[in-house]
Amino acid sequence: MGDRDHAARERALCAEGDIAVVFHRVDTNSDDEDGDGGDEEESAGDGRTEARIQLQSNNVRASCAYDDDDAGRGGRGGGGRHALCPPAWCVATREEKAAGEDAEKPKPCPGLGLFYALLSTVFFSVIAVLVKSIQGVHAIEISAIRCFFQMLFTLPLLIYHKTGFLGPRDKRVYLVLRGLIGSNAMILLFYAVQQMPLADATVIMFSNPVFTSLLAWIFLKERCTIWDCVFTVFTISGVLLIARPPFLFGEQLRGIEGNYGNHLKGTIAAFAGAIGAAFTFVVLRKMGKSVHYYLSVWYYAVIGFVECVIAVSVLGEWKIPYCGRDRWLLMLIAVLGIAGQTFLTKALQIEKAGPVALMRTLDVVLAFIFQFIFFNRAPTMWSLGGALCVVLSTSGVALQKWYSNSRKT
């Protein structure tokens, strides 16, 4: 095999912005197989000229190669050029450069999303304890005060992000529905906490992920599996164990606050609040990411405040808290509510929904702990059994969605 002589010439034509166009011209002359190469063989043999065009930038590099048959045939006979790659590949776009820059950005700290979910869970559990601690103030009035302070905190955020106050025209109906249903779910939860043990109300309210799957199947045409039906049966069984209707468990009931009438009203309110929260999630999913989060919170606060003011005025339940401590607790409820929603949103932006939902199951555990510490009430076996059914159901829904999304990706 004879030696090969390579002559390479490189010429940079232009450099504009971050992209430089460079030409490479390579002349390859090969000897014959017997080693008798000459000048005529060099011009008429397997000589080949390869022209390369390269687009060089900071993060991307694209090239094209052409075979010059005219040079290979000693300049005789008009040979054509054959592209070795499509011309479209020779263009380095700004989008590719931006994608390269995004890939170099540092990734968030591992576990940060779960830490945000834990903070939101703690804040929501503390809110339930504060609502239970305030005496003599109706749940609707507490909701009105929370919505009022939430409006005050959300207003400057809307101005800073320049989102406007009405939102996209085609999404306003969903925003109004989100405000109405979400504020009613909040009122029902506060009412249930006042009427029944804290842990029981929290467990029933926490069953909303199961109903979210069913409502998404009905209204969003999402897939409903046999497991969703099983989890729904488990959830309803857990609610029955907590409610303990007399026609199933007899007249002698232990572990309830006050009379059974208040316990039953609290159970109905918590169950309705769970369904309302599930409807809220369906509406938010229908809106998608086209509506800014703070705009959704703004509608929730404004509509909830107007609704609560009208309801309390009609019922004649406006009362000033008896002591200054309760007044500070009312403001703290509003602040913790905003903080809890913010951390939950950040958690869902960083972490997948499945792990976040599993972390939220700690809300039930904290409710039992806080009930025993602050209100000196130990849970009954019926409450623990109902809580186990609900937690298993919601955890199953979260794991199922997590597994399905992992298989798709």
Side-chain angles (χ1 to χ4, degrees), residues 8-32:
R9 293 186 297 274
E10 177 176 320
R11 183 160 57 97
L13 288 185
C14 62
E16 180 177 358
D18 293 331
I19 299 177
V21 181
V22 180
F23 284 91
H24 294 277
R25 187 175 183 85
V26 181
D27 295 330
T28 305
N29 299 322
S30 60
D31 297 335
D32 61 336

Side-chain angles (χ1 to χ4, degrees), residues 288-323:
K289 298 180 180 180
S290 60
V291 178
H292 198 279
Y293 166 73
Y294 288 121
L295 191 60
S296 175
V297 176
W298 170 256
Y299 268 83
Y300 171 85
V302 172
I303 295 178
F305 178 73
V306 174
E307 182 181 14
C308 290
V309 168
I310 294 175
V312 175
S313 300
V314 171
L315 296 175
E317 291 289 342
W318 282 113
K319 295 179 181 178
I320 299 177
Y322 296 124
C323 62

Side-chain angles (χ1 to χ4, degrees), residues 57-365:
S57 66
N58 293 335
N59 297 306
V60 289
R61 181 185 181 107
S63 65
C64 282
Y66 300 93
D67 284 342
D68 196 344
D69 293 341
D70 187 51
R73 301 182 185 276
R76 298 177 183 178
R81 277 189 179 178
H82 305 285
L84 300 181
C85 63
W89 291 4
C90 301
V91 180
T93 60
R94 294 287 183 181
E95 288 78 4
E96 292 173 334
K97 179 181 177 182
E101 292 176 352
D102 293 338
E104 295 179 357
K105 291 182 179 179
K107 296 182 179 180
C109 177
L112 185 60
L114 295 179
F115 178 70
Y116 286 153
L118 176 62
L119 287 179
S120 67
T121 300
V122 173
F123 289 154
F124 288 137
S125 299
V126 173
I127 288 175
V129 174
L130 296 179
V131 172
K132 187 75 173 177
S133 302
I134 297 176
Q135 301 294 329
V137 180
H138 200 279
I140 301 179
E141 184 177 354
I142 297 176
S143 303
I145 296 173
R146 174 181 171 176
C147 290
F148 174 75
F149 283 101
Q150 194 161 322
M151 288 170 51
L152 293 182
F153 283 104
T154 308
L155 182 61
L157 295 174
L158 292 178
I159 297 174
Y160 175 77
H161 291 282
K162 299 179 181 179
T163 60
F165 298 97
L166 298 178
R169 188 179 299 273
D170 58 334
K171 302 294 183 181
R172 292 175 186 174
V173 175
Y174 299 115
L175 286 169
V176 172
L177 284 176
R178 186 266 185 273
L180 283 173
I181 301 175
S183 59
N184 284 325
M186 175 186 60
I187 295 171
L188 291 170
L189 173 61
F190 288 174
Y191 182 78
V193 168
Q194 289 183 337
Q195 298 297 324
M196 63 188 306
L198 173 65
D200 293 350
T202 303
V203 168
I204 297 175
M205 190 68 186
F206 193 76
S207 64
N208 66 80
V210 178
F211 300 115
T212 302
S213 300
L214 292 178
L215 293 176
W217 170 60
I218 296 173
F219 294 100
L220 302 181
K221 307 303 180 183
E222 294 185 2
R223 185 169 175 242
C224 182
T225 64
I226 186 64
W227 285 109
D228 293 323
C229 300
V230 173
F231 295 145
T232 302
V233 172
F234 262 85
T235 301
I236 296 176
S237 300
V239 173
L240 288 176
L241 289 177
I242 293 174
R244 283 170 286 166
F247 65 90
L248 291 178
F249 295 87
E251 297 292 337
Q252 301 297 327
L253 299 177
R254 298 174 54 190
I256 64 174
E257 288 185 2
N259 54 43
Y260 182 76
N262 292 335
H263 184 82
L264 181 61
K265 289 189 293 185
T267 302
I268 295 174
F271 190 75
I275 297 178
F279 266 111
T280 301
F281 292 142
V282 172
V283 173
L284 290 173
R285 193 177 300 176
K286 183 68 175 179
M287 286 193 299
K289 298 180 180 180
S290 60
V291 178
H292 198 279
Y293 166 73
Y294 288 121
L295 191 60
S296 175
V297 176
W298 170 256
Y299 268 83
Y300 171 85
V302 172
I303 295 178
F305 178 73
V306 174
E307 182 181 14
C308 290
V309 168
I310 294 175
V312 175
S313 300
V314 171
L315 296 175
E317 291 289 342
W318 282 113
K319 295 179 181 178
I320 299 177
Y322 296 124
C323 62
R325 181 186 68 91
D326 289 347
R327 299 170 191 174
W328 286 106
L329 292 180
L330 289 172
M331 289 186 286
L332 185 59
I333 288 173
V335 174
L336 292 179
I338 298 173
Q341 291 177 350
T342 301
F343 280 116
L344 181 59
T345 303
K346 286 183 173 292
L348 292 173
Q349 289 175 348
I350 299 175
E351 189 61 70
K352 294 181 180 180
V356 173
L358 291 176
M359 183 63 72
R360 291 278 293 137
T361 57
L362 290 177
D363 199 350
V364 176
V365 179

